[in-house]
Every structure is written in C-alpha cells, then in structure tokens.
Amino acid sequence: AQSVTQLDSHVSVSEGTPVLLRCNYSSSYSPSLFWYVQHPNKGLQLLLKYTSAATLVKGINGFEAEFKKSETSFHLTKPSAHMSDAAEYFCVVSEAQGYNKLIFGAGTRLAVHP
Amino acid sequence: ETGVTQSPTHLIKTRGQQVTLRCSSQSGHNTVSWYQQALGQGPQFIFQYYREEENGRGNFPPRFSGLQFPNYSSELNVNALELDDSALYLCASSIGQGALGGYTFGSGTRLTVV
C-alpha cells in the first residue's frame, strides 16, 4: 500500500525567504506524486505533478519539487515566499488499481510573516 | 470553461438524518471522485464514478453511496448520519480514470452533524 508522510505540520517563514515543505512517500512501484494547495474556504488547487518524466518538476507560482527515488522524497520548495503563499499544502500520491485514487498526507500549514 | 461546483456550501443536519450533496463536473470531465476531509486532516477517498458506475471505493461503510448522471454530475448520499460524519466533502473531476492530468476539485460542502 502506498502512503505519504509530511514531516512538518506547521512551517513559518518570513516574506522573501525560501520555503521548504518536506514529504516522504512509500510506494511499491514508480508513483505519480502531486502537491496541492488549499486556501481557507477554497478547494484544492494543483501546484505540480511528477509522473516519471523529469525529476525536477516546476509548478505554478514559482514552486518546484524534486523527486528523489533513493530518499523516497518529494520536497516542495520556493525561493522567495510571498504573503499570498500562506495556506495548507498537501503532498499526494496516486494509487492505480484499475481506478485512480489520491492518497493525501496530513498537510503542512505554511505561515508567512511580513 | 467552468470548474467543479458543489452545493450546498454549508449544511447542518441532525444525527440519524440523511443528506445529499451535489457536484457538477468540469466541462469535458467524465470521472468524479468524492473525498471526506475531517478537520485538521488530509482528504480521504470515499469512491469514484466512471461512466455512471462506481469503480473504486475507500474504507467507508455502505451508508455512503453515490450516483453519477449522464451529464457526469454526481451526488453523494449519506444515510443515518453520525457525529463523526461532520467534515468538508470534496468533489473532484477528471478525464478518464487516470489522475495523470490531475483532478479539478470543487470548494466543498461543509457538513455539520449535531
């Protein structure tokens, strides 16, 4: 069975400083991995996805993530945080069983301070 | 192009009652999935519908049921509501059964059971 562990429940950064949100996954085969963001009272928005192409994945709003098979990690980074980045972030693995279901991590709440 | 719309946005029900939540898929999407997001947790997969049939189910009891209509809109029905059913219910649509293109999520229905 596949699973996702987000290593930090809360991350706090100052505006303009780098962001690092950590995610480890468990999968018996090559996974599809995603990062979604959820702003208060909003639905989930896809930030980026990894589907066995390039290991460094670029997403929207300046975010990127690197797939490291040897470390079973898929950490999300951004060089410079903006106040609008404050939200809940979910690392997600897709499990294919004839249908696809998304397995979510518990989430990381990102706070950005001026 | 419209996104995924869910109704109602908020709902309060009494324990033991039944509830129906509705979802309109994004134009061109023929697969719909439902997720339950309890407070402070990541979304959990309930089930997926493809071509009007349930083709995948998570660890939810039979009192959680659904429908998908020919226009690909969908309903989630929950019978005999329990207090623990209080959560944000998210609908997600996609093209085909695969998640490689990512899912489009609605903003959710917040259900409170008292």
Side-chain angles (χ1 to χ4, degrees):
Chain A
Q2 301 190 72
S3 65
V4 171
T5 302
Q6 293 184 243
L7 301 174
D8 308 290
S9 58
H10 292 82
V11 170
S12 182
V13 301
S14 298
E15 190 175 23
T17 64
V19 175
L20 170 63
L21 305 183
R22 299 181 296 164
C23 172
N24 287 350
Y25 69 90
S26 172
S27 175
S28 56
Y29 52 91
S30 183
S32 295
L33 293 161
F34 307 81
W35 277 96
Y36 279 85
V37 61
Q38 187 176 38
H39 291 275
N41 301 315
K42 299 284 187 181
L44 292 157
Q45 181 184 20
L46 178 66
L47 278 178
L48 49 81
K49 61 184 178 183
Y50 166 77
T51 55
S52 73
T55 57
L56 182 62
V57 182
K58 294 188 182 298
I60 62 172
N61 300 334
F63 285 96
E64 63 181 37
E66 185 172 8
F67 173 73
K68 292 187 176 180
K69 186 175 181 178
S70 61
E71 299 176 9
T72 61
S73 69
F74 190 58
H75 301 334
L76 181 71
T77 60
K78 183 174 181 177
S80 176
H82 191 273
M83 295 296 289
S84 61
D85 294 329
E88 188 88 18
Y89 291 79
F90 293 97
C91 183
V92 181
V93 63
S94 174
E95 182 175 281
Q97 300 178 330
Y99 61 94
N100 269 286
K101 75 174 186 181
L102 302 180
I103 300 169
F104 286 76
T108 298
R109 181 163 297 278
L110 175 65
V112 182
H113 302 286
Chain B
E1 178 181 282
T2 60
V4 175
T5 57
Q6 293 186 241
S7 62
T9 55
H10 295 82
L11 200 54
I12 300 175
K13 288 287 189 177
T14 302
R15 189 172 49 183
Q17 285 187 317
Q18 178 266 342
V19 69
T20 298
L21 311 181
R22 295 180 173 82
C23 171
S24 293
S25 301
Q26 180 167 322
S27 177
H29 287 191
N30 56 10
T31 300
V32 65
S33 304
W34 286 90
Y35 289 79
Q36 180 195 65
Q37 185 178 14
L39 197 62
Q41 297 181 23
Q44 300 289 318
F45 175 76
I46 303 176
F47 44 55
Q48 181 180 86
Y49 277 80
Y50 175 65
R51 293 183 175 177
E52 303 177 51
E53 291 191 4
E54 181 183 303
N55 70 337
R57 190 176 186 91
N59 295 325
F60 282 81
R63 59 189 185 84
F64 285 79
S65 63
L67 284 173
Q68 186 183 30
F69 300 99
N71 66 355
Y72 305 129
S73 65
S74 176
E75 287 182 354
L76 165 65
N77 299 291
V78 187
N79 294 322
L81 283 167
E82 301 177 358
L83 297 179
D84 285 347
D85 295 334
S86 295
L88 179 68
Y89 289 85
L90 294 164
C91 170
S93 71
S94 64
I95 298 173
Q97 300 181 67
L100 298 184
Y103 288 88
T104 301
F105 281 84
S107 297
T109 293
R110 173 77 59 189
L111 173 65
T112 302
V113 182
V114 297

